[in-house]
Amino acid sequence: MLKAKSDNHGGEDYLRYLENEKKISDQIIDYSRSMITIINRKYGYEKANATFCRAHRMLTDSIVGRSLGDIWGENTFKAYIKKNIDECFAGKTVRYEASFETPGLGIRYFEVIFRPLSTGNGEVTHLLAETTDIDDLIHSRKAVIEKEEEFRTFETNLPIGFLRVDPEGKIIHANRTFLRIMECGEEVPVLGINVRDFYVEQGIFEMQLDQLAEFNTRSFGRVYLRNCKGREIPCRLSAYVALDDNGRTSYIDFALEDSSRELMLENRLLQAQKLETIGALAGGVAHDFNNILATISGYAEMLQEDLKSDNNHYKKASRIMSAVSRGLSLTKQILTFSRQVEQEKVPVSVAEVLKETIGFIKPVLPSGITIKSKLSKNVVWVLADPTQLFRIFLNLMTNAFQAMEEKGGKLAVTQTVVEGRSVRSELNKDIVADEYVLISFKDTGKGMEPSLLKRIFEPFFSTREFGKGTGLGLSVVHGIVTEMEGEILVSSEKDKGSVFNIYLPVLKYTAEPLAGEKRKKILFFSGNKHESRILIIALESSGFDLISANDSDDLYSIFTEPGNSPDLIIYMADTEMIKQEDLAGLYNELKIETPCILITDPDHGVIEENLLNSGIIKQHLLKPVSLRELRDAIQFAIK
Amino acid sequence: MPGILIVEDDLELREMLRISFARKKFTVLEAENGRDAILHFKPSVTDIVITDLIMPDEDGLKVIMKLKEQKPSIRIIAISGGGKVGPGNYLNLAKALGANAVFSKPFSINDLMIKIDELLEPEQHD
């Protein structure tokens, strides 16, 4: 800054000095990148710098003395400029941004500042107008805003949770996906919370910080976080530390993904592989065991042949035979679980089997337990062995009742049809059937812990007391469903109950009477109409004519009626209603020679020796009887 | 006296079968695997064959094919204990290849005898 000199330098010198000073300040003003003008109260230009003149492509002289209306156009002046100038003349500095056109620059964005200039007595006589081209600035500012906006949208829509925390772990920012995964609602309540509070396991966060600092580890694999609703979520976590100029942590960014589904699929695959392995192993054992059983039963049979039936030892040989039968029923179950038994499948209506199963179980329902079923009205067909279907339904219902044994409860059985593609991800199958019938068993029992839930389909895994059941039940169910190209899914909550969902591919089928060549007539003789109904359904679908008898009176009338005699009798000896001697007696009395297949329950009921020794029984089967076994036996019995 | 060939790799089971058929006055021949059965097959004295399906050194399916080739009138019963590679399919396959009957282990010797009697009956023409 030049300093004013004292008067004693003489008038001329001083004038020259002043002139010099003015020239310098004019130059400074002219070189300014802003347009600078001085405007008087008549809205006329009294001064304009070179930048202004260049912008307007005019000489200084042709600007000075002219009014603003003249230069900018009367309308523009009145609409946009005048009120700002008036405000400035009132003593205020006015600053605004506007876009307008000048002949030299075209349309650009400017910052305009009007500063009041006053004389010594404070009266504003002029104003200083300074107009600066800020077009580039505005554009880059806009670009930054747009980029920011773009990034925000990207970050919001990203399927990855994003979190920024300060070096202590306090949350500075959380994106929407993070809030969604963690079920936290709005961002605001999360801010300021320490991220370590989300960790299920203490100390993990600190460990990760150490790893970040020491090894620059970015990915931390799977970590369990407890979300705002208290649920534990398996998350895949990675992090990045931003350092300041001094090398200190300035903030930490976390990216996290909800890996619940991934984990679920992983677990399911693992389970399937495990079951496959156990199945192969158990199947091999069952095979060798069957060889051993064959040897044992062969010798026992020879023993029986050698001994008279009234011999003391004869009974012992019979006991060996029944032990073999039990062994066989075990190996059969193992082979069913490991899907090494081919099922004989026929078209069967799911609802019909469900109804019979419910009918079968209702009379033995413990008090306090109710069963409610909702079955679809349309007949839904699946390709299955009805006896196997009965078995899985019975097994799941019995399990449900056992789960509700202590407190009572309700079992809801529903049957619906779902589209294959709508359950593709649930079934985790690449290829799905067009439609599935979903049979759901929902109980209000004691439920299961997740650790238990994982293992229920494993063979020999039982929660019941030792000695009660073989622990094969659910593994066999799993084997049958898988063999049918279906899927069984289970969910459970401790103390709330469990849901077993079975998906079976729907068969497009219309029931038609089978071609009527000479069909074999089978008399089914059993006291339990529900259980026998299942076998009757199975046999009818396989092309046999069935008549059923529920007591010895029925039997009597069938055999005494001429032209009605069956080719075979199947006798399911499991009820109080039919005494075993009734059959033997009837055979004797009516001199019946029809071959008979006997089906008994290995768990209860001693078979009358005299029935077995009467020569009536051509085949003796043990429950559960599959359609294949039954057909093989029929083929053997009717030559 | 009908001749029977027992092809079974389980020694104890084979022994049991040998004894039970000897008791019924069969001439019993034995082989412990498929290869031996095929190699030492004596068509003139063998009327019926009982063969296991899953065996080391040539399985039962091969036995059925080879022996049927050599003696089309031979009666064959396949027996299998299930397991390993799907016995259901195996037994079906055995039937398709010409086995006259199939039995799953364990089976009743008595049933087996009845079946054999039936198979050895001279063919009836009606």
Side-chain angles (χ1 to χ4, degrees), chain A residues 547-567:
Chain A
I547 35 177
S548 57
N550 294 322
D551 53 40
S552 43
D553 287 344
D554 280 355
L555 210 59
Y556 198 87
S557 56
I558 286 167
F559 276 101
T560 46
E561 206 174 297
N564 205 14
S565 65
D567 300 296

Side-chain angles (χ1 to χ4, degrees), chain A residues 283 287-288 290-291 293-295 297-299 301-302 305-306 328 335 340 342 618-619 628 635-636 639, chain B residues 10 12-13 15-16 19-20 23-24 81-84 87 89 92 95 105-111 118:
Chain A
H287 173 265
D288 288 349
N290 277 344
N291 265 344
L293 288 176
T295 310
S297 76
Y299 284 119
E301 267 187 275
M302 278 186 254
E305 246 178 46
D306 293 347
L328 170 63
L335 290 171
Q340 301 193 8
E342 205 187 20
K618 292 286 177 266
Q619 286 279 287
R628 167 171 291 277
Q635 214 175 16
F636 191 88
K639 296 219 175 87
Chain B
D10 186 307
E12 280 172 0
L13 180 55
E15 181 77 357
M16 186 278 286
I19 294 171
S20 58
R23 282 157 60 101
K24 302 286 175 189
K84 286 169 186 165
N89 289 325
N92 278 351
K95 256 187 175 166
K105 293 177 193 171
F107 44 81
S108 149
I109 288 290
N110 196 33
D111 287 355
E118 191 188 312

